[in-house]
């Protein structure tokens, strides 16, 4: 586990400087994870901002029991899930999806994914149910250990391993289906 200076912060330290450091070091990870969970860039923007506001308010509560990255990703996950459970979001999402189909220009996220060599694979990952998508992204994209993922997701280590295995199997099945479709 990485040692981080946040463990040694005492009240009176310049919180603004610490927040800037955290945003520069982990801002992209927080935004990406929020986007992977919500699939909405505007939501990822709001959630990221909310995460860092919460961190600013609770800066001195970091105890060092986990890495700073997993602490921030835990906060991001909780805020993302809260966002997704909101009744307003459930009602508005369908309307937003219908409006997005009429767009002619691709979104910024789509342009980034288009440039990735593994575009097809990322598309398949995004089609997975959230519990499998979370496990795959935390494992491959963020490189968290099984133990860190278990704490972040609030599940047992065995369940994390199972979700990763099942997610890989689902992706393999989806790849096989797309390959069969191309051969026909």
């Amino acid at each position: 586990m990485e040692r981080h200076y946040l463990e040694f912060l005492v009240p009176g330290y310049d919180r603004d400087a610490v927040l800037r450091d955290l945003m520069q070091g982990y801002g992209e990870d927080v935004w990406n994870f929020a986007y992977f969970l919500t699939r909405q860039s505007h939501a990822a923007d709001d959630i990221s901002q909310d995460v860092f506001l919460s961190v600013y308010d609770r800066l001195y509560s970091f105890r060092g029991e986990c890495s700073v990255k997993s602490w921030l990703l835990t906060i991001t996950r909780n805020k993302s899930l809260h966002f997704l459970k909101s009744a307003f979001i459930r009602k508005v999402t369908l309307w937003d999806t219908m409006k997005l189909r009429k767009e002619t220009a691709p979104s910024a996220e789509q342009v980034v994914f288009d440039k990735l060599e593994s575009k097809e694979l990322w598309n398949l990952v995004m089609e997975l149910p959230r519990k499998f998508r979370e496990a795959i992204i935390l494992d491959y994209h963020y490189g968290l250990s099984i133990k860190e993922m278990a704490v972040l997701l609030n599940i047992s280590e065995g369940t994390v391993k199972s979700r990763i295995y099942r997610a890989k199997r689902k992706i393999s099945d989806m790849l096989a289906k797309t390959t069969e479709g191309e051969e026909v």
Side-chain angles (χ1 to χ4, degrees):
M1 187 180 323
E2 70 180 41
R3 306 254 329 142
H4 199 273
Y5 70 86
L6 282 185
E7 295 176 50
F8 309 105
L9 278 184
V10 293
Y13 196 78
D14 184 11
R15 293 185 335 167
D16 294 343
V18 174
L19 183 64
R20 272 192 302 279
D21 186 39
L22 290 174
M23 289 174 73
Q24 289 172 350
Y26 302 102
E28 188 173 332
D29 290 334
V30 167
W31 188 92
N32 286 334
F33 192 48
Y35 178 75
F36 287 136
L37 293 176
T38 63
R39 299 180 191 187
Q40 300 175 21
S41 60
H42 64 86
D45 292 340
D46 293 343
I47 291 168
S48 298
Q49 187 175 25
D50 200 24
V51 165
F52 285 109
L53 286 173
S54 294
V55 166
Y56 185 80
D57 290 337
R58 296 185 204 109
L59 194 58
Y60 301 114
S61 68
F62 180 73
R63 296 182 303 264
E65 295 171 354
C66 60
S67 68
V68 174
K69 182 186 264 186
S70 65
W71 182 55
L72 290 169
L73 292 179
T74 300
I75 296 169
T76 305
R77 179 178 185 266
N78 292 337
K79 293 201 177 288
S80 297
L81 294 179
H82 179 73
F83 171 83
L84 291 171
K85 288 179 185 176
S86 147
F88 175 76
I89 294 307
R90 285 189 302 231
K91 291 178 184 174
V92 172
T93 301
L94 180 60
W95 178 251
D96 285 346
T97 304
M98 290 170 46
K99 286 184 358 188
L100 286 176
R101 288 184 187 154
K102 295 178 183 176
E103 285 184 11
T104 56
S107 66
E109 293 80 24
Q110 187 62 44
V111 171
V112 170
F113 282 134
D114 287 343
K115 292 181 181 177
L116 294 174
E117 291 179 31
S118 58
K119 176 189 173 208
E120 181 181 352
L121 188 59
W122 276 114
N123 288 336
L124 294 176
V125 168
M126 294 302 284
E127 290 179 21
L128 291 172
R130 185 179 69 231
K131 65 183 183 179
F132 298 130
R133 193 171 63 235
E134 283 178 332
I136 286 289
I137 290 168
L138 291 173
D139 186 24
Y140 288 100
H141 187 71
Y142 293 106
L144 296 182
S145 69
I146 299 291
K147 186 175 185 175
E148 287 177 316
M149 286 188 275
V151 171
L152 192 148
L153 298 173
N154 199 24
I155 56 177
S156 71
E157 292 180 28
T159 304
V160 171
K161 291 176 186 177
S162 172
R163 285 184 182 177
I164 290 172
Y165 172 78
R166 290 174 66 196
K168 288 178 187 177
R169 195 175 68 206
K170 283 184 177 284
I171 290 173
S172 294
D173 292 346
M174 289 189 287
L175 280 172
K177 285 180 184 176
T178 58
T179 309
E180 288 173 7
E182 290 174 2
E183 292 175 3
V184 173

